[in-house]
Amino acid sequence: MAALPPLEELIILVDPERCMGCRACEIACAVEHSESKELFKAPFEVPRPAPRVRVLVVPPYNVPMRCQHCKEPPCMAVCPTKAIDRTPEGVVVLDPRRCIGCLMCALACPFGHPRYSPETRTVVKCDFCVDRLREGRQPACVEACPTGALRFGTVEELMREVAEEKARQLISGLEAAPGRVVVLPGARRVEERGPPPPRVADVYSLYSRVRWG
């Protein structure tokens, strides 16, 4: 694998339109933070490893929610034991040896990310898989995502990918762009590609009225 850019330049891009709610990111995160780091051993560990990423259902979307690693993290400011600190790369991490489970960080977080673990009596939070990054690997959640709902890279790289995707949609007539610039769809391109594949949000909307009983 090619060398990664400086860690402080890297971000994770979340695309709810691509998320199908499979929770592979949650499983990968829990396994990465287990003692064994093995899928079939991690569930039997005591305490059971907990995922730091959570997929929340916000109809018609699934949204993988995780720590934002704020530039001025309120969780770090309110922690009375200094259990929360920032690495040289800018990642906000928690030291469970210092955590007393007071939940001040959870109350201060505007995204509701830190969670209390009754088994360890401490808080767990995302650490951006900083150890993996230092080895030149992607975060576990990104590596496990099968649909590209989680993407990893620099802001410039990811925005270039998004721009290219939107350009393809515009010229194929799949999406209209509001604004003062109108892009004419390429008719031949549409004929060759056929109808667009259904999106997760489209499937949800079809079955939104389906109920049991």
Side-chain angles (χ1 to χ4, degrees):
M1 179 177 178
L4 290 173
L7 300 191
E8 59 270 17
E9 297 179 8
L10 297 168
I11 66 166
I12 290 177
L13 177 67
V14 179
D15 187 351
E17 292 232 347
R18 291 188 173 201
C19 181
M20 61 182 181
C22 68
R23 301 186 186 274
C25 56
E26 292 186 1
I27 296 172
C29 181
V31 171
E32 179 63 27
H33 291 89
S34 67
E35 290 292 331
S36 64
K37 299 192 184 297
E38 295 185 23
L39 177 60
F40 296 106
K41 291 182 179 180
F44 301 102
E45 294 180 9
V46 179
R48 181 179 295 180
R52 275 64 172 167
V53 60
R54 282 185 294 174
V55 178
L56 302 182
V57 179
V58 186
Y61 297 106
N62 299 295
V63 186
M65 292 293 291
R66 48 194 310 290
C67 177
Q68 300 298 307
H69 298 274
C70 308
K71 290 186 177 180
E72 297 181 4
C75 59
M76 187 169 74
V78 301
C79 181
T81 62
K82 307 301 180 185
I84 299 178
D85 201 1
R86 190 192 297 279
T87 69
E89 298 87 3
V91 177
V92 180
V93 295
L94 181 141
D95 184 350
R97 297 169 298 180
R98 292 187 174 187
C99 180
I100 58 175
C102 67
L103 295 180
M104 290 296 292
C105 56
L107 294 172
C109 178
F111 303 100
H113 174 69
R115 285 188 294 164
Y116 180 73
S117 169
E119 291 185 274
T120 62
R121 297 183 179 181
T122 61
V123 166
V124 294
K125 71 171 296 295
C126 166
D127 58 7
F128 213 79
C129 286
V130 66
D131 291 333
R132 290 173 61 97
L133 301 190
R134 290 167 179 165
E135 296 172 359
R137 297 189 291 163
Q138 294 184 337
C141 58
V142 176
E143 187 174 80
C145 182
T147 63
L150 296 173
R151 285 182 276 180
F152 178 70
T154 65
V155 174
E156 183 179 355
E157 291 171 343
L158 295 176
M159 290 303 101
R160 186 187 306 119
E161 291 180 10
V162 171
E164 290 174 355
E165 288 175 10
K166 293 301 179 182
R168 283 194 293 269
Q169 292 173 359
L170 286 170
I171 63 175
S172 60
L174 302 186
E175 184 172 309
R180 302 182 64 86
V181 178
V182 177
V183 179
L184 296 176
R188 187 180 64 180
R189 188 73 172 176
V190 175
E191 291 171 2
E192 291 175 354
R193 295 182 62 174
R199 300 177 302 173
V200 173
D202 297 332
V203 177
Y204 273 1
S205 63
L206 291 174
Y207 290 93
S208 60
R209 298 184 179 181
V210 176
R211 297 289 186 273
W212 292 106

